C-alpha cells in the first residue's frame, strides 16, 4: 500500500469511518427500506448468536478485516419483507443476507480507497464460525435491533501482530 | 413486438438469494412475471443455452463461473444478439463498468439495487430491445 504520513493516515482513517458508515446506512435503507442509526464505540460486543460475515481487503502483504455481526432479530425483521416465515427457520438465508450486505458495503469501501491510489483486492465474504484470533487492522460493525430501531455500532482497531 | 412486461422472459443470476428475492420483488411490482433464477455462472450458462430469454440480470462476482465470463461467452454467440444483459454488481469502480459495457452489457446497475434505478434501467433496456433490429450496436448507460 502507499506509504502515508501521520497526517495522511489520520485523514484516511477519518475518511474510512465516514465511507463505511455512509455505505452501511445507504445499503440497509436501499435494500430493506429501513433507517439505521450509527454509533461509535471502542468496544466490540456482538449479541448472543450473532451471525458474523467477514471480508478481507488486501494489497500485497497488507490487509484489513471487516467483521459484520448481525443480531438475529434484526436480520429477521429486515428479511421478513422478502421471505415467508418458514424459510426463515433455516440458517442459510440469514448467512446469505449477512454476506451480501458485507459484500456491498466492502465493495463501496474498496472502490473509494482504490480511487485514492490503493489497489485493493477483496475476497468473497464468508461466515465466521467459532473463535477467531484476528491480528491486524479490524473494522467491527455490530448491528442490533433496539426498540424497533436499527443500530450499527462501529469500532476501528489495530491489533498488532507478533512482528509489531 | 412484445407489448407488456409479462411478455418478456427474464433470467436473474446471483449467488446471494437475498439479492435474487429483491430483484424478483421489484420486477414483479413492475409487471414482469416470467422470471427464472440461477445461483452461479455455470447454472446460468446451462439455462441460457435453451432458455430463449429476453433480459438477463447478472451478478459479476460468483463462484464456479463469474458473470463477466458468461456475458463474454454469450456475446460471442449470435443466438444472444437480441438478448439484453444487465450487470447488477457490488463492483462500483468505473473500470468495472467500462469493462462490462465493453464486453457487451446493455446496462450496469451498482448494488444496492433501488426500485427507482431498476425502473429507469428497465425502461432503457426495453427501448434497446425495441430498437435492436435497427441499431445493433446501441448501448445503454444506466
Amino acid at each position: 500500500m502507499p506509504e502515508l504520513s501521520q497526517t495522511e493516515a489520520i485523514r484516511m482513517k477519518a475518511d474510512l469511518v465516514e465511507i463505511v458508515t455512509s455505505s452501511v446506512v445507504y445499503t440497509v435503507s436501499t435494500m430493506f427500506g429501513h433507517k439505521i442509526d450509527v454509533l461509535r464505540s471502542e468496544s466490540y460486543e456482538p449479541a448472543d448468536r450473532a451471525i458474523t460475515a467477514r471480508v478481507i481487503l488486501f494489497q500485497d502483504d497488507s490487509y484489513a478485516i471487516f467483521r459484520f455481526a448481525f443480531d438475529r432479530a434484526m436480520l429477521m425483521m429486515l428479511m421478513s419483507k422478502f421471505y415467508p416465515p418458514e424459510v426463515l427457520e433455516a440458517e442459510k438465508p440469514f448467512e446469505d443476507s449477512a454476506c451480501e450486505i458485507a459484500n456491498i458495503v466492502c465493495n463501496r469501501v474498496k472502490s473509494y480507497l482504490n480511487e485514492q491510489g490503493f489497489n485493493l483486492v477483496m475476497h468473497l465474504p464468508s461466515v465466521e464460525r467459532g473463535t477467531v484470533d484476528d491480528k491486524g487492522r479490524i473494522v467491527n460493525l455490530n448491528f442490533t435491533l433496539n426498540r424497533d430501531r436499527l443500530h450499527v455500532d462501529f469500532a476501528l482497531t489495530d491489533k498488532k501482530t507478533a512482528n509489531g | 413486438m412484445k407489448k407488456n412486461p409479462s411478455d418478456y422472459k427474464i433470467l436473474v443470476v446471483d449467488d446471494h438469494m437475498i439479492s435474487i428475492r429483491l430483484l424478483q420483488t421489484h420486477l414483479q411490482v413492475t409487471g414482469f412475471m416470467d422470471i427464472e433464477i440461477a445461483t452461479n455462472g455455470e447454472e446460468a450458462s446451462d439455462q441460457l443455452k435453451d432458455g430463449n430469454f429476453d433480459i438477463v440480470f447478472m451478478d459479476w462476482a460468483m463462484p464456479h463461473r463469474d458473470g463477466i465470463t458468461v456475458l463474454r461467452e454469450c456475446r460471442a454467440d449470435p443466438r444472444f444478439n437480441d438478448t439484453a444483459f444487465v450487470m447488477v454488481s457490488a463492483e462500483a469502480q468505473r473500470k468495472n463498468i467500462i469493462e462490462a459495457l465493453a464486453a457487451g452489457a446493455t446496462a450496469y446497475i451498482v448494488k444496492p439495487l433501488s426500485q427507482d434505478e431498476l425502473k429507469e434501467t428497465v425502461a432503457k433496456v426495453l427501448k434497446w430491445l425495441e430498437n435492436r433490429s435497427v441499431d445493433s450496436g446501441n448501448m445503454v448507460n444506466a
Side-chain angles (χ1 to χ4, degrees):
Chain A
M1 293 192 188
E3 282 291 320
L4 297 176
S5 68
Q6 196 176 1
T7 313
E8 285 171 329
I10 291 168
R11 186 179 62 79
M12 181 63 80
K13 190 171 174 178
D15 285 354
L16 184 63
V17 170
E18 174 57 33
I19 189 72
V20 170
T21 51
S22 64
S23 295
V24 165
V25 170
Y26 180 71
T27 300
V28 173
S29 68
T30 305
M31 284 178 80
F32 303 101
H34 277 281
K35 191 180 174 301
I36 193 164
D37 295 321
V38 179
L39 309 169
R40 286 292 314 276
S41 89
E42 300 307 319
S43 63
Y44 174 66
E45 287 179 25
D48 284 346
R49 296 182 66 233
I51 295 151
T52 303
R54 69 161 40 214
V55 179
I56 301 175
L57 291 180
F58 66 95
Q59 180 177 321
D60 304 325
D61 294 334
S62 303
Y63 63 94
I65 301 166
F66 287 76
R67 302 175 77 231
F68 294 74
F70 293 91
D71 177 3
R72 195 171 293 261
M74 176 192 174
L75 271 185
M76 176 79 85
M77 189 182 87
L78 295 176
M79 292 161 60
S80 58
K81 190 173 166 186
F82 299 103
Y83 289 106
E86 62 273 17
V87 173
L88 296 177
E89 285 169 18
E91 189 70 4
K92 185 90 176 87
F94 288 92
E95 296 182 354
D96 172 78
S97 296
C99 285
E100 182 64 328
I101 295 169
N103 177 42
I104 294 170
V105 170
C106 285
N107 260 297
R108 295 176 76 86
V109 172
K110 183 189 77 173
S111 298
Y112 167 78
L113 291 173
N114 284 352
E115 281 165 15
Q116 308 299 309
F118 287 80
N119 189 23
L120 294 162
V121 177
M122 192 181 122
H123 283 301
L124 286 175
S126 59
V127 174
E128 198 171 281
R129 299 182 199 282
T131 309
V132 181
D133 182 21
D134 281 324
K135 291 182 171 58
R137 183 158 295 150
I138 302 164
V139 180
N140 283 309
L141 296 130
N142 190 16
F143 292 80
T144 51
L145 180 65
N146 189 359
R147 293 180 187 155
D148 293 334
R149 295 190 71 184
L150 307 182
H151 293 276
V152 56
D153 196 4
F154 181 102
L156 184 61
T157 57
D158 269 303
K159 283 191 181 175
K160 297 293 179 196
T161 61
N163 297 328
Chain B
M1 187 187 294
K2 294 174 179 177
K3 297 221 163 124
N4 300 307
S6 56
D7 297 334
Y8 291 90
K9 190 171 178 187
I10 292 176
L11 178 65
V12 175
V13 189
D14 202 302
D15 58 325
H16 290 287
M17 195 48 76
I18 188 67
S19 283
I20 290 177
R21 298 298 286 239
L22 198 87
L23 189 48
Q24 255 183 329
T25 305
H26 289 335
L27 286 169
Q28 283 166 350
V29 168
T30 318
F32 294 94
M33 294 300 165
D34 192 357
I35 304 169
E36 291 186 21
I37 63 168
T39 57
N40 61 57
E42 215 165 79
E43 266 183 42
S45 294
D46 289 344
Q47 285 176 248
L48 280 161
K49 273 178 203 157
D50 33 41
N52 204 19
F53 294 97
D54 299 296
I55 309 171
V56 180
F57 291 90
M58 179 104 68
D59 188 16
W60 186 309
M62 291 184 289
H64 304 306
R65 186 178 296 156
D66 63 26
I68 195 82
T69 304
V70 177
L71 171 63
R72 287 201 178 101
E73 285 170 359
C74 289
R75 282 303 183 224
D77 184 338
R79 285 180 301 166
F80 297 103
N81 280 356
D82 296 329
T83 305
F85 284 84
V86 181
M87 291 298 285
V88 185
S89 174
E91 290 283 359
Q93 286 182 258
R94 193 171 167 73
K95 68 173 186 181
N96 292 106
I97 299 171
I98 291 169
E99 188 182 343
L101 294 175
T106 316
Y108 193 106
I109 298 175
V110 177
K111 290 179 183 177
L113 179 76
S114 74
Q115 173 84 65
D116 288 346
E117 192 178 3
L118 179 66
K119 266 189 187 170
E120 202 178 300
T121 302
V122 163
K124 288 175 181 172
V125 165
L126 294 184
K127 193 117 190 128
W128 181 87
L129 287 169
E130 273 177 33
N131 294 338
R132 188 65 202 125
S133 57
V134 180
D135 180 5
S136 62
N138 194 18
M139 283 184 180
V140 179
N141 289 308

PDB file of all heavy atoms in Angstrom, chain B residues 44-67:
ATOM      1  N   ALA B  44     -26.228 -20.542 -14.914  1.00  0.00           N
ATOM      2  CA  ALA B  44     -26.735 -19.549 -15.860  1.00  0.00           C
ATOM      3  C   ALA B  44     -26.440 -19.966 -17.295  1.00  0.00           C
ATOM      4  O   ALA B  44     -27.317 -19.910 -18.166  1.00  0.00           O
ATOM      5  CB  ALA B  44     -26.112 -18.188 -15.561  1.00  0.00           C
ATOM      6  N   SER B  45     -25.197 -20.425 -17.534  1.00  0.00           N
ATOM      7  CA  SER B  45     -24.817 -20.850 -18.892  1.00  0.00           C
ATOM      8  C   SER B  45     -25.721 -21.971 -19.372  1.00  0.00           C
ATOM      9  O   SER B  45     -26.173 -21.971 -20.522  1.00  0.00           O
ATOM     10  CB  SER B  45     -23.358 -21.327 -18.912  1.00  0.00           C
ATOM     11  OG  SER B  45     -22.509 -20.263 -18.634  1.00  0.00           O
ATOM     12  N   ASP B  46     -25.987 -22.937 -18.491  1.00  0.00           N
ATOM     13  CA  ASP B  46     -26.857 -24.057 -18.858  1.00  0.00           C
ATOM     14  C   ASP B  46     -28.264 -23.573 -19.196  1.00  0.00           C
ATOM     15  O   ASP B  46     -28.861 -23.990 -20.194  1.00  0.00           O
ATOM     16  CB  ASP B  46     -26.940 -25.075 -17.699  1.00  0.00           C
ATOM     17  CG  ASP B  46     -25.640 -25.837 -17.533  1.00  0.00           C
ATOM     18  OD1 ASP B  46     -24.823 -25.808 -18.479  1.00  0.00           O
ATOM     19  OD2 ASP B  46     -25.435 -26.438 -16.469  1.00  0.00           O
ATOM     20  N   GLN B  47     -28.803 -22.683 -18.357  1.00  0.00           N
ATOM     21  CA  GLN B  47     -30.180 -22.211 -18.589  1.00  0.00           C
ATOM     22  C   GLN B  47     -30.272 -21.341 -19.840  1.00  0.00           C
ATOM     23  O   GLN B  47     -31.276 -21.364 -20.544  1.00  0.00           O
ATOM     24  CB  GLN B  47     -30.688 -21.455 -17.354  1.00  0.00           C
ATOM     25  CG  GLN B  47     -31.036 -22.413 -16.227  1.00  0.00           C
ATOM     26  CD  GLN B  47     -31.446 -21.689 -14.948  1.00  0.00           C
ATOM     27  OE1 GLN B  47     -30.733 -21.743 -13.961  1.00  0.00           O
ATOM     28  NE2 GLN B  47     -32.572 -21.015 -14.990  1.00  0.00           N
ATOM     29  N   LEU B  48     -29.199 -20.590 -20.098  1.00  0.00           N
ATOM     30  CA  LEU B  48     -29.226 -19.694 -21.259  1.00  0.00           C
ATOM     31  C   LEU B  48     -29.231 -20.474 -22.578  1.00  0.00           C
ATOM     32  O   LEU B  48     -29.808 -20.010 -23.565  1.00  0.00           O
ATOM     33  CB  LEU B  48     -28.019 -18.752 -21.223  1.00  0.00           C
ATOM     34  CG  LEU B  48     -28.177 -17.551 -20.273  1.00  0.00           C
ATOM     35  CD1 LEU B  48     -26.815 -16.934 -19.937  1.00  0.00           C
ATOM     36  CD2 LEU B  48     -29.088 -16.488 -20.894  1.00  0.00           C
ATOM     37  N   LYS B  49     -28.612 -21.657 -22.590  1.00  0.00           N
ATOM     38  CA  LYS B  49     -28.497 -22.441 -23.820  1.00  0.00           C
ATOM     39  C   LYS B  49     -29.845 -22.691 -24.478  1.00  0.00           C
ATOM     40  O   LYS B  49     -29.994 -22.614 -25.681  1.00  0.00           O
ATOM     41  CB  LYS B  49     -27.810 -23.782 -23.532  1.00  0.00           C
ATOM     42  CG  LYS B  49     -26.302 -23.694 -23.614  1.00  0.00           C
ATOM     43  CD  LYS B  49     -25.676 -25.031 -23.260  1.00  0.00           C
ATOM     44  CE  LYS B  49     -24.240 -24.802 -22.792  1.00  0.00           C
ATOM     45  NZ  LYS B  49     -23.745 -25.891 -21.953  1.00  0.00           N
ATOM     46  N   ASP B  50     -30.848 -23.023 -23.671  1.00  0.00           N
ATOM     47  CA  ASP B  50     -32.151 -23.303 -24.298  1.00  0.00           C
ATOM     48  C   ASP B  50     -33.290 -22.488 -23.687  1.00  0.00           C
ATOM     49  O   ASP B  50     -34.455 -22.868 -23.773  1.00  0.00           O
ATOM     50  CB  ASP B  50     -32.461 -24.804 -24.251  1.00  0.00           C
ATOM     51  CG  ASP B  50     -31.905 -25.469 -23.028  1.00  0.00           C
ATOM     52  OD1 ASP B  50     -31.992 -24.867 -21.941  1.00  0.00           O
ATOM     53  OD2 ASP B  50     -31.365 -26.561 -23.174  1.00  0.00           O
ATOM     54  N   GLY B  51     -32.934 -21.374 -23.058  1.00  0.00           N
ATOM     55  CA  GLY B  51     -33.951 -20.596 -22.351  1.00  0.00           C
ATOM     56  C   GLY B  51     -34.690 -19.557 -23.160  1.00  0.00           C
ATOM     57  O   GLY B  51     -35.820 -19.211 -22.835  1.00  0.00           O
ATOM     58  N   ASN B  52     -34.063 -19.050 -24.226  1.00  0.00           N
ATOM     59  CA  ASN B  52     -34.681 -18.014 -25.041  1.00  0.00           C
ATOM     60  C   ASN B  52     -35.126 -16.805 -24.196  1.00  0.00           C
ATOM     61  O   ASN B  52     -36.264 -16.357 -24.284  1.00  0.00           O
ATOM     62  CB  ASN B  52     -35.871 -18.606 -25.804  1.00  0.00           C
ATOM     63  CG  ASN B  52     -36.197 -17.820 -27.050  1.00  0.00           C
ATOM     64  OD1 ASN B  52     -35.349 -17.059 -27.540  1.00  0.00           O
ATOM     65  ND2 ASN B  52     -37.414 -17.963 -27.540  1.00  0.00           N
ATOM     66  N   PHE B  53     -34.205 -16.287 -23.398  1.00  0.00           N
ATOM     67  CA  PHE B  53     -34.520 -15.162 -22.514  1.00  0.00           C
ATOM     68  C   PHE B  53     -34.406 -13.827 -23.265  1.00  0.00           C
ATOM     69  O   PHE B  53     -33.596 -13.683 -24.172  1.00  0.00           O
ATOM     70  CB  PHE B  53     -33.564 -15.139 -21.313  1.00  0.00           C
ATOM     71  CG  PHE B  53     -33.741 -16.334 -20.411  1.00  0.00           C
ATOM     72  CD1 PHE B  53     -32.911 -17.441 -20.534  1.00  0.00           C
ATOM     73  CD2 PHE B  53     -34.737 -16.356 -19.448  1.00  0.00           C
ATOM     74  CE1 PHE B  53     -33.072 -18.547 -19.715  1.00  0.00           C
ATOM     75  CE2 PHE B  53     -34.914 -17.455 -18.622  1.00  0.00           C
ATOM     76  CZ  PHE B  53     -34.078 -18.558 -18.763  1.00  0.00           C
ATOM     77  N   ASP B  54     -35.239 -12.875 -22.858  1.00  0.00           N
ATOM     78  CA  ASP B  54     -35.168 -11.520 -23.426  1.00  0.00           C
ATOM     79  C   ASP B  54     -34.181 -10.656 -22.636  1.00  0.00           C
ATOM     80  O   ASP B  54     -33.443  -9.860 -23.215  1.00  0.00           O
ATOM     81  CB  ASP B  54     -36.548 -10.853 -23.383  1.00  0.00           C
ATOM     82  CG  ASP B  54     -37.562 -11.611 -24.199  1.00  0.00           C
ATOM     83  OD1 ASP B  54     -37.373 -11.682 -25.430  1.00  0.00           O
ATOM     84  OD2 ASP B  54     -38.524 -12.151 -23.614  1.00  0.00           O
ATOM     85  N   ILE B  55     -34.233 -10.785 -21.304  1.00  0.00           N
ATOM     86  CA  ILE B  55     -33.374  -9.956 -20.448  1.00  0.00           C
ATOM     87  C   ILE B  55     -32.703 -10.857 -19.393  1.00  0.00           C
ATOM     88  O   ILE B  55     -33.366 -11.687 -18.774  1.00  0.00           O
ATOM     89  CB  ILE B  55     -34.175  -8.854 -19.718  1.00  0.00           C
ATOM     90  CG1 ILE B  55     -35.047  -8.060 -20.703  1.00  0.00           C
ATOM     91  CG2 ILE B  55     -33.246  -7.913 -18.968  1.00  0.00           C
ATOM     92  CD1 ILE B  55     -36.022  -7.104 -20.033  1.00  0.00           C
ATOM     93  N   VAL B  56     -31.396 -10.632 -19.211  1.00  0.00           N
ATOM     94  CA  VAL B  56     -30.658 -11.364 -18.183  1.00  0.00           C
ATOM     95  C   VAL B  56     -30.072 -10.349 -17.205  1.00  0.00           C
ATOM     96  O   VAL B  56     -29.370  -9.419 -17.614  1.00  0.00           O
ATOM     97  CB  VAL B  56     -29.511 -12.202 -18.801  1.00  0.00           C
ATOM     98  CG1 VAL B  56     -28.749 -12.956 -17.720  1.00  0.00           C
ATOM     99  CG2 VAL B  56     -30.048 -13.157 -19.848  1.00  0.00           C
ATOM    100  N   PHE B  57     -30.398 -10.496 -15.929  1.00  0.00           N
ATOM    101  CA  PHE B  57     -29.786  -9.678 -14.874  1.00  0.00           C
ATOM    102  C   PHE B  57     -28.701 -10.532 -14.234  1.00  0.00           C
ATOM    103  O   PHE B  57     -28.996 -11.599 -13.681  1.00  0.00           O
ATOM    104  CB  PHE B  57     -30.823  -9.263 -13.823  1.00  0.00           C
ATOM    105  CG  PHE B  57     -31.833  -8.270 -14.334  1.00  0.00           C
ATOM    106  CD1 PHE B  57     -33.015  -8.704 -14.919  1.00  0.00           C
ATOM    107  CD2 PHE B  57     -31.595  -6.905 -14.235  1.00  0.00           C
ATOM    108  CE1 PHE B  57     -33.952  -7.788 -15.399  1.00  0.00           C
ATOM    109  CE2 PHE B  57     -32.518  -5.992 -14.707  1.00  0.00           C
ATOM    110  CZ  PHE B  57     -33.700  -6.432 -15.292  1.00  0.00           C
ATOM    111  N   MET B  58     -27.450 -10.065 -14.308  1.00  0.00           N
ATOM    112  CA  MET B  58     -26.326 -10.931 -13.938  1.00  0.00           C
ATOM    113  C   MET B  58     -25.393 -10.277 -12.932  1.00  0.00           C
ATOM    114  O   MET B  58     -24.909  -9.171 -13.154  1.00  0.00           O
ATOM    115  CB  MET B  58     -25.537 -11.244 -15.216  1.00  0.00           C
ATOM    116  CG  MET B  58     -24.335 -12.101 -15.021  1.00  0.00           C
ATOM    117  SD  MET B  58     -24.625 -13.759 -15.567  1.00  0.00           S
ATOM    118  CE  MET B  58     -24.760 -13.491 -17.314  1.00  0.00           C
ATOM    119  N   ASP B  59     -25.143 -10.982 -11.848  1.00  0.00           N
ATOM    120  CA  ASP B  59     -24.134 -10.558 -10.877  1.00  0.00           C
ATOM    121  C   ASP B  59     -22.744 -10.756 -11.494  1.00  0.00           C
ATOM    122  O   ASP B  59     -22.585 -11.532 -12.435  1.00  0.00           O
ATOM    123  CB  ASP B  59     -24.290 -11.412  -9.611  1.00  0.00           C
ATOM    124  CG  ASP B  59     -23.421 -10.934  -8.465  1.00  0.00           C
ATOM    125  OD1 ASP B  59     -22.926  -9.791  -8.504  1.00  0.00           O
ATOM    126  OD2 ASP B  59     -23.239 -11.715  -7.509  1.00  0.00           O
ATOM    127  N   TRP B  60     -21.770 -10.054 -10.982  1.00  0.00           N
ATOM    128  CA  TRP B  60     -20.401 -10.171 -11.512  1.00  0.00           C
ATOM    129  C   TRP B  60     -19.629 -11.267 -10.765  1.00  0.00           C
ATOM    130  O   TRP B  60     -19.228 -12.273 -11.327  1.00  0.00           O
ATOM    131  CB  TRP B  60     -19.675  -8.824 -11.371  1.00  0.00           C
ATOM    132  CG  TRP B  60     -18.322  -8.768 -12.001  1.00  0.00           C
ATOM    133  CD1 TRP B  60     -17.286  -9.646 -11.827  1.00  0.00           C
ATOM    134  CD2 TRP B  60     -17.848  -7.775 -12.915  1.00  0.00           C
ATOM    135  NE1 TRP B  60     -16.190  -9.255 -12.566  1.00  0.00           N
ATOM    136  CE2 TRP B  60     -16.501  -8.105 -13.240  1.00  0.00           C
ATOM    137  CE3 TRP B  60     -18.400  -6.641 -13.490  1.00  0.00           C
ATOM    138  CZ2 TRP B  60     -15.725  -7.334 -14.103  1.00  0.00           C
ATOM    139  CZ3 TRP B  60     -17.621  -5.870 -14.348  1.00  0.00           C
ATOM    140  CH2 TRP B  60     -16.306  -6.225 -14.658  1.00  0.00           C
ATOM    141  N   ALA B  61     -19.413 -11.059  -9.472  1.00  0.00           N
ATOM    142  CA  ALA B  61     -18.568 -11.987  -8.697  1.00  0.00           C
ATOM    143  C   ALA B  61     -19.405 -13.157  -8.177  1.00  0.00           C
ATOM    144  O   ALA B  61     -20.274 -12.976  -7.328  1.00  0.00           O
ATOM    145  CB  ALA B  61     -17.923 -11.249  -7.536  1.00  0.00           C
ATOM    146  N   MET B  62     -19.158 -14.333  -8.739  1.00  0.00           N
ATOM    147  CA  MET B  62     -19.899 -15.530  -8.320  1.00  0.00           C
ATOM    148  C   MET B  62     -18.959 -16.728  -8.343  1.00  0.00           C
ATOM    149  O   MET B  62     -17.998 -16.734  -9.117  1.00  0.00           O
ATOM    150  CB  MET B  62     -21.064 -15.815  -9.286  1.00  0.00           C
ATOM    151  CG  MET B  62     -22.178 -14.804  -9.231  1.00  0.00           C
ATOM    152  SD  MET B  62     -23.540 -15.285 -10.322  1.00  0.00           S
ATOM    153  CE  MET B  62     -22.809 -15.008 -11.945  1.00  0.00           C
ATOM    154  N   PRO B  63     -19.243 -17.739  -7.530  1.00  0.00           N
ATOM    155  CA  PRO B  63     -18.421 -18.945  -7.591  1.00  0.00           C
ATOM    156  C   PRO B  63     -18.680 -19.726  -8.887  1.00  0.00           C
ATOM    157  O   PRO B  63     -19.686 -19.502  -9.546  1.00  0.00           O
ATOM    158  CB  PRO B  63     -18.873 -19.746  -6.368  1.00  0.00           C
ATOM    159  CG  PRO B  63     -20.217 -19.219  -6.020  1.00  0.00           C
ATOM    160  CD  PRO B  63     -20.285 -17.806  -6.499  1.00  0.00           C
ATOM    161  N   HIS B  64     -17.771 -20.621  -9.206  1.00  0.00           N
ATOM    162  CA  HIS B  64     -17.823 -21.525 -10.378  1.00  0.00           C
ATOM    163  C   HIS B  64     -17.554 -20.798 -11.698  1.00  0.00           C
ATOM    164  O   HIS B  64     -16.650 -21.166 -12.420  1.00  0.00           O
ATOM    165  CB  HIS B  64     -19.144 -22.297 -10.441  1.00  0.00           C
ATOM    166  CG  HIS B  64     -19.412 -23.068  -9.192  1.00  0.00           C
ATOM    167  ND1 HIS B  64     -18.516 -23.958  -8.673  1.00  0.00           N
ATOM    168  CD2 HIS B  64     -20.463 -23.046  -8.323  1.00  0.00           C
ATOM    169  CE1 HIS B  64     -18.980 -24.470  -7.560  1.00  0.00           C
ATOM    170  NE2 HIS B  64     -20.168 -23.931  -7.311  1.00  0.00           N
ATOM    171  N   ARG B  65     -18.356 -19.808 -12.048  1.00  0.00           N
ATOM    172  CA  ARG B  65     -18.042 -19.010 -13.239  1.00  0.00           C
ATOM    173  C   ARG B  65     -18.609 -17.621 -13.003  1.00  0.00           C
ATOM    174  O   ARG B  65     -19.776 -17.487 -12.636  1.00  0.00           O
ATOM    175  CB  ARG B  65     -18.670 -19.638 -14.484  1.00  0.00           C
ATOM    176  CG  ARG B  65     -18.261 -18.930 -15.773  1.00  0.00           C
ATOM    177  CD  ARG B  65     -18.852 -19.601 -16.983  1.00  0.00           C
ATOM    178  NE  ARG B  65     -18.346 -20.955 -17.165  1.00  0.00           N
ATOM    179  CZ  ARG B  65     -19.004 -21.904 -17.838  1.00  0.00           C
ATOM    180  NH1 ARG B  65     -20.166 -21.657 -18.373  1.00  0.00           N
ATOM    181  NH2 ARG B  65     -18.485 -23.098 -17.961  1.00  0.00           N
ATOM    182  N   ASP B  66     -17.786 -16.583 -13.195  1.00  0.00           N
ATOM    183  CA  ASP B  66     -18.292 -15.242 -12.877  1.00  0.00           C
ATOM    184  C   ASP B  66     -19.152 -14.680 -14.012  1.00  0.00           C
ATOM    185  O   ASP B  66     -19.175 -15.198 -15.135  1.00  0.00           O
ATOM    186  CB  ASP B  66     -17.162 -14.286 -12.464  1.00  0.00           C
ATOM    187  CG  ASP B  66     -16.160 -14.034 -13.568  1.00  0.00           C
ATOM    188  OD1 ASP B  66     -16.522 -14.157 -14.751  1.00  0.00           O
ATOM    189  OD2 ASP B  66     -15.003 -13.724 -13.252  1.00  0.00           O
ATOM    190  N   GLY B  67     -19.863 -13.610 -13.687  1.00  0.00           N
ATOM    191  CA  GLY B  67     -20.838 -13.045 -14.615  1.00  0.00           C
ATOM    192  C   GLY B  67     -20.235 -12.479 -15.879  1.00  0.00           C
ATOM    193  O   GLY B  67     -20.804 -12.597 -16.960  1.00  0.00           O
TER     194      GLY B  67
END
